[in-house]
Amino acid sequence: MGKVTGFMEYERLEEGYAPVQERVKNYKEFVIGLKTDEAKVQGARCMDCGTPFCNNGCPVNNIIPDFNDLVYRNDWKNAIEVLHSTNNFPEFTGRICPAPCEAACTLNVNDDAVGIKSIEHAIIDRAWEEGWVKPRPAKFKTGKKVAVVGSGPAGLAAAQQLARVGHDVTVFEKNDRAGGLLRYGIPDFKMEKSHIDRRIEQMKAEGVTFRTSVMVGKLPEGSKVTNWASETVSPDDLKAQFDAVLLAGGAEQPRDLPIPGRDLEGVYFAMEFLPQQNKINAGDKLKAQLRADGKKVIVIGGGDTGSDCVGTSNRQGATSVTQFELTPMPPEQENKPLVWPYWPLKLRTSSSHEEGCEREFAIATKEFIGGEGKEKGKLKALRTVRVEWANGKMTEVAGSEQTLDADMVFLAMGFVSPVASVLEQFGVDKDARGNAKASTDFTGGYATNVPKVFAAGDIRYGQSLVVRAIREGRQAARSVDEFLMGVSDLPR
């Protein structure tokens, strides 16, 4: 694959970034993709390794050596065909996937991995520019109707696959635009929403119907889950009107921090904050947007959602941004012989961190502190303590308590489960983590205990990656097709 000696001749080339002082002034994408010749050279680095671990490191099992070789040989049109054969939306993953495939790259054992993600990014951008991405409507209709609940990556992937084999697919989305957390969870500076919009148009041309602002079932009173629905449809109606129903919502129930002062004004879940800026960027008007202008911001949670809060806060004009992580700071470089080809634990610095952020590790928050007098009920500070970890147990360090000023705190500690009320209204059994219980066996895979109701994506698997959601949606589509038709030509 690639050039036989390419990995010895060429160094890894990273995609470029626009300068920090420029990119923080707007919400546009700032990654500078590889040029055609650069991508060709990076494709040449792919080794003829015999056993490409990258294929299994990738949740959708992209045929990575093949498209690397095609790019090296300047056969871009076949490269996008290979890429699309396993991944419906490489423009999403080419921008926001953490690239577990690169961690599994054979070259990564003792060198820099092949830049798989940057090559994927280059392939799909070239394909759109050349007009190679076209609707693929089914030649024949089956007469079967499928409802897909949720329009995130799992729902979109499943809907597209099912429409292409002739089923009439309707996607239901509780928010006012399709895309799920791709639309309202990921900031525009990481992925502009025009990429979603043109896929939606492609899918409409393939026969998919989108019904936005429609809530399937009811959210519990007081739920913090983003919901701009103006219409409600009952689960019973869906089961009566459709031949199959696929639940493909997200794991949207955020992990809370129930400590003193949690109800103070200024303490918010990340997903109360991030969707609002995306709506503003889309041209909407909000009466009371949560903004970080002139505020001291603390983000609790060290993952991607926390990083997104950092980047958004900096763009809004926060005076300072600090990110807390409960666990110790990981090593800057992993022990490759010990962990390869698995995803390594190591310090990861995001583009948002580079834009301005203090990072605190092994720190816990004990209390949110409000102001006095006119400032009563408003967040003014928080009390923290340092922690130590031993044998998987956390202990507080005596005498390490601090009080830090804070005007705004975002809780970005992950998501614990899908919204339980939706599953309960469908009558779907839940697993120990509160997710929809549905196995992935080849026979009857992704089917729940409720007849003709399936589940895929974060609602079944739990909080995970966009690329894993795409995989789940594709595999569930095959199971739904097999259920409806007896057999299926869709890939597993």
Side-chain angles (χ1 to χ4, degrees), residues 379-410:
L379 175 72
K380 288 300 170 186
L382 48 74
R383 185 165 58 88
T384 67
V385 65
R386 295 290 171 177
V387 297
E388 291 179 337
W389 292 82
N391 300 319
K393 293 184 178 180
M394 182 186 78
T395 56
E396 296 181 1
V397 178
S400 65
E401 291 194 359
Q402 287 181 292
T403 300
L404 303 177
D405 292 340
D407 303 307
M408 187 171 263
V409 168
F410 298 121

Side-chain angles (χ1 to χ4, degrees), residues 278-358:
N278 285 9
K279 284 184 70 67
I280 294 293
N281 295 345
D284 295 351
K285 296 186 182 299
L286 298 178
K287 292 182 179 179
Q289 183 190 3
L290 299 177
R291 291 193 58 88
D293 318 57
K295 293 184 172 68
K296 297 175 182 177
V297 174
I298 292 180
V299 179
I300 300 178
D304 288 341
T305 304
S307 176
D308 293 343
C309 289
V310 170
T312 302
S313 296
N314 278 325
R315 282 163 177 74
Q316 290 184 355
T319 57
S320 67
V321 183
T322 305
Q323 187 175 23
F324 287 179
E325 176 56 74
L326 191 62
T327 56
M329 186 172 77
E332 292 190 14
Q333 181 63 52
E334 75 272 29
N335 184 340
K336 288 185 177 181
L338 180 66
V339 299
W340 179 88
Y342 301 108
W343 184 248
L345 175 66
K346 67 177 182 177
L347 182 65
R348 302 177 192 278
T349 300
S350 72
S351 58
S352 291
H353 294 143
E354 294 170 351
E355 292 163 3
C357 173
E358 293 292 325

Side-chain angles (χ1 to χ4, degrees), residues 42 59 96 112 125 144 157 220 233 261 272 325 336 360 383 455:
Q42 292 307 295
I96 59 177
D112 293 327
D125 281 6
K144 302 291 186 180
V233 173
E272 294 179 85
E325 176 56 74
K336 288 185 177 181
E360 298 282 352
R383 185 165 58 88

Side-chain angles (χ1 to χ4, degrees), residues 105-335:
C105 173
T106 301
L107 190 55
N108 192 47
V109 172
N110 60 357
D111 201 345
D112 293 327
V114 174
I116 300 165
K117 178 179 175 181
S118 62
I119 296 171
E120 178 177 330
H121 186 180
I123 293 170
I124 184 58
D125 281 6
R126 172 79 178 269
W128 279 108
E129 289 169 7
E130 299 286 351
W132 296 333
V133 184
K134 299 180 183 296
R136 298 180 179 181
K139 294 180 180 178
F140 305 100
K141 302 294 279 186
T142 65
K144 302 291 186 180
K145 298 194 300 180
V146 182
V148 176
V149 180
S151 66
L156 292 179
Q160 185 166 64
Q161 294 292 93
L162 288 166
R164 286 177 172 178
V165 291
H167 303 308
D168 291 320
V169 182
T170 302
V171 178
F172 293 84
E173 170 57 54
K174 68 180 182 304
N175 294 323
D176 53 352
R177 296 179 179 90
L181 289 181
L182 288 169
R183 173 79 65 179
Y184 286 124
I186 295 171
D188 289 11
F189 56 79
K190 288 177 68 175
M191 190 184 82
E192 293 177 13
K193 303 309 176 258
S194 58
H195 304 297
I196 304 173
D197 294 337
R198 61 187 177 185
R199 281 295 183 182
I200 298 297
E201 291 306 309
Q202 179 197 33
M203 292 173 66
K204 287 180 178 177
E206 292 171 345
V208 179
T209 299
F210 288 89
R211 292 186 58 186
T212 56
S213 297
V214 178
M215 180 69 202
V216 176
K218 295 180 180 179
L219 288 176
E221 191 172 341
S223 172
K224 296 294 186 179
V225 173
T226 304
N227 177 24
W228 288 293
S230 56
E231 180 184 350
T232 301
V233 173
S234 76
D236 286 342
D237 286 344
L238 284 195
K239 287 186 285 185
Q241 296 169 15
F242 291 87
D243 299 296
V245 177
L246 174 62
L247 305 180
E252 295 183 83
Q253 198 64 48
R255 182 174 283 107
D256 207 345
L257 187 59
I259 59 176
R262 170 63 181 90
D263 59 347
L264 289 170
E265 180 183 338
V267 182
Y268 307 102
F269 286 119
M271 286 304 296
E272 294 179 85
F273 172 61
L274 295 174
Q276 293 189 353
Q277 186 59 58
N278 285 9
K279 284 184 70 67
I280 294 293
N281 295 345
D284 295 351
K285 296 186 182 299
L286 298 178
K287 292 182 179 179
Q289 183 190 3
L290 299 177
R291 291 193 58 88
D293 318 57
K295 293 184 172 68
K296 297 175 182 177
V297 174
I298 292 180
V299 179
I300 300 178
D304 288 341
T305 304
S307 176
D308 293 343
C309 289
V310 170
T312 302
S313 296
N314 278 325
R315 282 163 177 74
Q316 290 184 355
T319 57
S320 67
V321 183
T322 305
Q323 187 175 23
F324 287 179
E325 176 56 74
L326 191 62
T327 56
M329 186 172 77
E332 292 190 14
Q333 181 63 52
E334 75 272 29
N335 184 340

Side-chain angles (χ1 to χ4, degrees), residues 35-164:
K35 298 176 183 176
T36 299
D37 289 344
E38 293 171 336
K40 179 178 179 179
V41 169
Q42 292 307 295
R45 294 187 72 238
C46 187
M47 304 170 66
D48 187 8
C49 59
T51 304
F53 288 87
C54 57
N55 286 7
N56 286 332
C58 172
V60 291
N61 302 122
N62 277 337
I63 312 170
I64 293 163
D66 290 39
F67 68 63
N68 284 341
D69 183 58
L70 289 164
V71 168
Y72 166 62
R73 300 179 189 284
N74 213 32
D75 189 352
W76 291 79
K77 195 165 187 180
N78 274 321
I80 187 58
E81 289 298 318
V82 170
L83 183 51
H84 267 153
S85 71
T86 56
N87 186 352
N88 295 66
F89 313 118
E91 64 269 48
F92 303 164
T93 52
R95 284 169 167 79
I96 59 177
C97 184
C101 55
E102 295 186 13
C105 173
T106 301
L107 190 55
N108 192 47
V109 172
N110 60 357
D111 201 345
D112 293 327
V114 174
I116 300 165
K117 178 179 175 181
S118 62
I119 296 171
E120 178 177 330
H121 186 180
I123 293 170
I124 184 58
D125 281 6
R126 172 79 178 269
W128 279 108
E129 289 169 7
E130 299 286 351
W132 296 333
V133 184
K134 299 180 183 296
R136 298 180 179 181
K139 294 180 180 178
F140 305 100
K141 302 294 279 186
T142 65
K144 302 291 186 180
K145 298 194 300 180
V146 182
V148 176
V149 180
S151 66
L156 292 179
Q160 185 166 64
Q161 294 292 93
L162 288 166
R164 286 177 172 178

